[in-house]
Amino acid sequence: MANTKGMRAFHNARLKKQQRKAYDIDEARNRAFLLHQAGRIGDAQAICREILERSPRHFDAMHLLGITEYQSGRHEEADRLLQQALLIEPRSAAACSNHGIVLHELKRYDAALARLDKAIALKPDYAEAFSNRAMTLIELGHHAEAVASCDRAVALKPNYPEAHSNRGNALCQLRRFDEALASCDKAIALRPGYADALSNRGDALTELGRFDQALASYDQAIALKPRLAAAWVGRGNVFLNLNRYGEAFAAFQQALAVKPDSLKALAQLAHYYERHGRVEEAIACYDRVLAVKPDFSEVISNKIFALDLVPQAGFAEHQEARKEWWRRVGAKIAARSSPRHANDRDPARRLVLGYVSADFRRHSAATTFWPVLANHDKSQFEVICYSCSIIRDDVTENFARAADRFIDVSQLSDDELFAHVGADKVDILIDLSGHSGGNRLRVFARKPAPVQVTAWGHGTGTGLPTIDYLFSDPVTIPDAMRPLYAEKIVDLPCVIMSALPPIELPRGDPPVLTNGHVTFGVFNRITKVSDDAVAAWARVLHGVPEARLLMKDGAYDEPQMRDLMRQRFAAHGVAGERIDFLGPSPREQHLAAFGKTDIALDPFPQNGGVSTWEALHMGVPVVAKVGHTAPGRLSAAIITSIGLADWVGESADDYVALAVKFAGMPELLTLLRRDLPAKIAVAPSGNGALYTRAVERAYRTMWEEYCRAAWPRVVQSSR
């Protein structure tokens, strides 16, 4: 017979051992949770791994280990562990939410959103999942939905600081900056010293132009959380706005040291490189960003701007870059839109014009479209200005008086602006920004008005087939290049004009008569000062040994920038003592500074525009070179339009020869100083009233073409 007593004892001992093992695992799990809460992540991980050795499908240990791997920055491993945890317990809302956070960090945003939606489906009152979902929606560009998700989180948990902070971030993306600031302040009130909310608050303050307060907010965030990359990026952005380039560079470098894959840090670092003339490095940064996020709208636009500075790029490359914005961004927006234009199709009626710009303020671009808005025939055109800038100054007030309606849309979302344009029954909507800062091309992609035009502010083409026309001229865009454009080219007397100086400034004689030497001037943005231009200017200075060069830009307030520029000329054998610098100044003082120059030297491959007109208005002739892009032919177009084509060269050699030749002609310089303003005043390209009539004729023709296309005439057959 079997020894039943012995067998019973054996089974009892085995059962007790199993019970002791289960008890030990539960106790170990609890210890791991406590250690994790105490911030002892390594110790918590060690216990989790020990549990998993004994019980490989232990959900809590797998879940906690995944969380700690994420907190340690090992996101791929966290992803693997949380996937395994969800195979064990697929209905864990917490694991779904945490996995969504990890996928967000891995930039797998669609997958992250799906996980967070699953968490909410499992637990409809899960405030944390709603807040985390908002962060992912922001990255996907669904900003209104992100605000709604935060609102749901706050409704479930009113005193939840993360939800208020994320709400502020989403509102900032929707341009609702005042509301964003209020949400961030609420988060900070709920949790004093909340670094992420302080950083988001800095973003809102930056957008509101309150740079000192923004900087203080970022600095406070960094003091609390030194490894917060977003705050370092924001800090650098403020310094860029303040032309404090050295500090901007240091901030972006710090952001990348903390978070090497920070797309925003790379994008802003590219700005820094661009402003230092390091265009190849700038484009390399933009390309790195776009390799990860191909539809990063602002970065594509920034790259378009950078390409203007690339000597090898031509018309085809420029327009292809603009069409890339359309393919990656605009076409998707257009596909979701179905505009219906109910405008009265009377070809002869008074038309409603809508001008969209972030530059109805003291900005160089404003001088290019002010003459048109100031001279419109109000019996034929109603003028609406949609202002996209927070800044409002004396120039803004001038535009407000000139317009029939001046509407501040700086804090309207794209959806809201689209609806506004439709409600205003705008017939022709005019983009005044192109791909420059503050543009609303996302709205133009949806075609809110029957006819759309791009002009003046960055009139080099947008790549949007929803924009029907581009104002230009035959010099800026030759006939052979026009098929490359998405828009139909309409010629004006010149691609841009510029307003007369605000006051009558004394011009006097050219300074060569009193100085005994010629002074060349470069009053252009430092980003336009290419290596090729510096080489040409050095040759000019060698050709006119007594001449000096005066350079003016806000960047030259920084000693480092002046030193770098002198070094660039020294590499071509030009002593630094021959170069003088001027920093920023109000426009009147800026214009008066042209009185210190005899001849302006135009940069290339990207030319001056407003600066060229300013020099001419002040009686200073400009030497220019015809380039092989629209931005590289702008000055040639301006100078030719007022009858000075002999100041334009076809090559760098021609350019240098012209500058040297005219430097030896003080009588001609004296004549031009006296006669140029009058010459401009009678030219169709320089006279505001004449120029505006040309613009209005073009608008009327555009409208008539639209009416004919919309209402084709039916030809009845004879009986």
Side-chain angles (χ1 to χ4, degrees):
M1 290 183 62
N3 186 350
T4 56
K5 187 176 180 180
M7 289 290 292
R8 192 180 300 115
F10 173 79
H11 285 301
N12 286 341
R14 185 176 181 185
L15 181 62
K16 287 179 181 179
K17 185 176 180 181
Q18 288 173 339
Q19 289 172 339
R20 186 168 60 252
K21 181 178 180 183
Y23 172 81
D24 289 344
I25 286 177
D26 288 343
E27 189 273 336
R29 178 199 61 192
N30 293 337
R31 254 189 317 124
F33 284 151
L34 289 171
L35 287 167
H36 179 249
Q37 290 172 359
R40 293 169 59 182
I41 290 175
D43 292 336
Q45 285 182 325
I47 293 173
C48 287
R49 291 192 177 99
E50 183 181 335
I51 292 171
L52 290 170
E53 284 180 6
R54 300 182 180 189
S55 179
R57 290 182 55 80
H58 194 286
F59 168 74
D60 286 339
M62 189 79 72
H63 184 199
L64 182 57
L65 187 57
I67 292 169
T68 58
E69 287 294 296
Y70 164 76
Q71 292 172 326
S72 301
R74 293 184 284 272
H75 300 147
E76 294 286 356
E77 180 62 10
D79 173 35
R80 184 186 69 80
L81 289 164
L82 289 170
Q83 284 190 64
Q84 289 187 3
L86 283 164
L87 289 174
I88 298 166
E89 183 50 74
R91 297 189 59 78
S92 168
C96 282
S97 181
N98 288 328
H99 192 212
I101 294 170
V102 171
L103 291 168
H104 177 101
E105 284 297 324
L106 290 169
K107 297 182 171 55
R108 292 162 56 188
Y109 300 120
D110 289 324
L113 186 61
R115 277 297 194 214
L116 291 162
D117 285 343
K118 177 71 180 295
I120 292 166
L122 291 165
K123 186 180 179 184
D125 63 347
Y126 198 169
E128 289 81 358
F130 276 108
S131 180
N132 293 333
R133 180 176 180 269
M135 293 174 62
T136 299
L137 287 165
I138 290 168
E139 293 296 338
L140 289 168
H142 305 325
H143 303 128
E145 195 178 345
V147 172
S149 197
C150 287
D151 287 344
R152 181 65 180 143
V154 169
L156 291 165
K157 193 174 178 181
N159 294 327
Y160 183 24
E162 282 87 350
H164 288 286
S165 179
N166 290 339
R167 186 174 187 271
N169 189 358
L171 286 166
C172 208
Q173 305 305 317
L174 286 170
R175 306 178 64 87
R176 291 158 60 182
F177 307 125
D178 290 324
E179 293 177 76
L181 185 59
S183 282
C184 293
D185 285 342
K186 175 71 172 177
I188 295 163
L190 289 168
R191 183 187 294 168
Y194 184 9
D196 294 84
L198 283 162
S199 180
N200 288 339
R201 181 176 184 270
D203 292 344
L205 288 164
T206 299
E207 294 291 349
L208 289 166
R210 293 156 61 178
F211 297 128
D212 289 343
Q213 291 173 270
L215 189 58
S217 200
Y218 291 130
D219 286 347
Q220 194 176 350
I222 290 166
L224 292 162
K225 192 174 178 181
R227 294 184 62 78
L228 183 56
W232 285 108
V233 172
R235 191 171 192 268
N237 192 28
V238 169
F239 287 135
L240 274 186
N241 278 286
L242 296 174
N243 292 329
R244 291 162 61 177
Y245 297 116
E247 291 164 288
F249 180 74
F252 298 141
Q253 290 291 84
Q254 185 63 44
L256 288 167
V258 170
K259 190 175 182 181
D261 63 346
S262 170
L263 300 185
K264 290 182 179 178
L266 280 170
Q268 292 301 93
L269 183 61
H271 271 309
Y272 168 85
Y273 285 140
E274 199 175 316
R275 295 188 191 189
H276 281 67
R278 296 159 65 176
V279 183
E280 290 183 1
E281 290 167 275
I283 290 176
C285 281
Y286 291 139
D287 285 342
R288 284 177 62 188
V289 173
L290 294 172
V292 177
K293 190 175 181 180
D295 60 349
F296 199 146
S297 175
E298 294 80 6
V299 170
I300 301 173
S301 290
N302 291 340
K303 183 180 175 182
I304 286 168
F305 252 79
L307 283 171
D308 286 354
L309 305 168
V310 176
Q312 300 81 13
F315 277 97
E317 290 85 351
H318 280 201
Q319 293 313 304
E320 178 58 28
R322 287 155 174 79
K323 290 173 183 176
E324 192 68 14
W325 187 94
W326 172 255
R327 287 192 290 268
R328 294 183 179 185
V329 181
K332 297 174 185 176
I333 296 170
R336 297 193 297 269
S337 180
S338 54
R340 292 180 175 84
H341 304 128
N343 306 57
D344 177 7
R345 293 181 174 89
D346 178 356
R349 68 174 173 81
R350 186 177 185 234
L351 299 178
V352 180
L353 306 177
Y355 288 97
V356 184
S357 178
D359 299 321
F360 294 122
R361 57 190 175 91
R362 280 190 170 265
H363 189 282
S364 59
T367 68
T368 68
F369 44 78
W370 164 252
V372 176
L373 272 72
N375 285 282
H376 264 312
D377 180 353
K378 295 301 185 65
S379 70
Q380 294 295 311
F381 300 94
E382 177 186 348
V383 175
I384 304 174
C385 289
Y386 297 103
S387 176
C388 305
S389 173
I390 291 294
I391 300 169
R392 193 174 180 114
D393 55 25
D394 58 324
V395 173
T396 312
E397 299 309 320
N398 290 339
F399 279 108
R401 283 189 290 270
D404 294 287
R405 282 185 280 167
F406 188 91
I407 305 169
D408 182 354
V409 298
S410 60
Q411 298 199 52
L412 293 190
S413 68
D414 291 342
D415 287 346
E416 291 168 326
L417 179 53
F418 175 84
H420 214 308
V421 172
D424 292 336
K425 291 183 166 41
V426 172
D427 299 308
I428 302 177
L429 192 68
I430 303 100
D431 158 56
L432 298 175
S433 300
H435 284 276
S436 64
N439 75 73
R440 303 304 292 269
L441 291 180
R442 288 173 170 270
V443 176
F444 280 85
R446 296 173 63 173
K447 192 91 177 199
V451 178
Q452 300 195 143
V453 184
T454 181
W456 304 312
H458 186 231
T460 58
T462 62
L464 276 66
T466 53
I467 294 184
D468 306 283
Y469 301 98
L470 164 65
F471 281 140
S472 191
D473 64 55
V475 175
T476 302
I477 306 178
D479 287 343
M481 298 298 143
R482 298 189 173 195
L484 297 170
Y485 284 76
E487 308 91 347
K488 180 180 178 180
I489 313 299
V490 174
D491 286 328
L492 294 177
C494 185
V495 63
I496 63 167
M497 71 167 305
S498 184
L500 292 169
I503 56 175
E504 182 61 33
L505 295 169
R507 292 174 177 83
D509 291 325
V512 64
L513 299 183
T514 53
N515 293 338
H517 62 79
V518 165
T519 301
F520 294 103
V522 175
F523 282 35
N524 304 90
R525 263 195 341 261
I526 195 168
T527 54
K528 295 186 178 184
V529 180
S530 67
D531 289 342
D532 288 346
V534 169
W537 298 337
R539 290 171 61 193
V540 170
L541 292 172
H542 285 307
V544 189
E546 301 303 317
R548 297 185 68 83
L549 178 64
L550 176 62
M551 305 187 77
K552 188 176 190 302
D553 182 62
Y556 298 129
D557 248 9
E558 276 204 5
Q560 179 193 15
M561 299 303 289
R562 298 195 295 270
D563 291 342
L564 285 171
M565 190 59 69
R566 287 193 178 101
Q567 290 170 21
R568 293 175 72 182
F569 277 92
H572 295 279
V574 175
E577 295 76 23
R578 297 182 66 186
I579 306 169
D580 299 306
F581 297 95
L582 291 173
S585 60
R587 187 167 186 238
E588 291 79 4
Q589 294 178 25
H590 177 79
L591 290 167
F594 279 101
K596 300 178 180 181
T597 66
D598 296 291
I599 298 172
L601 298 175
D602 192 50
F604 53 86
Q606 187 183 42
N607 293 171
V610 171
S611 59
T612 301
W613 273 118
E614 287 176 338
L616 297 170
H617 278 307
M618 297 308 299
V620 178
V622 182
V623 176
K625 180 177 81 70
V626 179
H628 49 270
T629 64
R633 301 170 68 89
L634 182 54
S635 285
I638 294 168
I639 296 165
T640 300
S641 76
I642 61 166
L644 292 182
D646 54 338
W647 284 75
V648 179
E650 293 290 332
S651 66
D653 288 343
D654 292 341
Y655 177 100
V656 172
L658 287 171
V660 172
K661 180 183 80 171
F662 288 126
M665 302 172 69
E667 298 85 1
L668 176 61
L669 299 178
T670 303
L671 185 67
L672 288 171
R673 182 72 59 129
R674 184 190 69 206
D675 293 347
L676 264 179
K679 195 178 187 70
I680 293 169
V682 298
S685 62
N687 181 291
L690 294 175
Y691 192 90
T692 304
R693 297 293 84 77
V695 171
E696 291 176 339
R697 287 192 296 273
Y699 286 155
R700 183 60 64 183
T701 300
M702 293 171 189
W703 183 250
E704 289 169 353
E705 288 179 357
Y706 169 75
C707 291
R708 283 196 300 272
W711 292 101
R713 185 173 60 183
V714 177
V715 180
Q716 294 182 345
S717 60
S718 58
R719 293 184 179 179

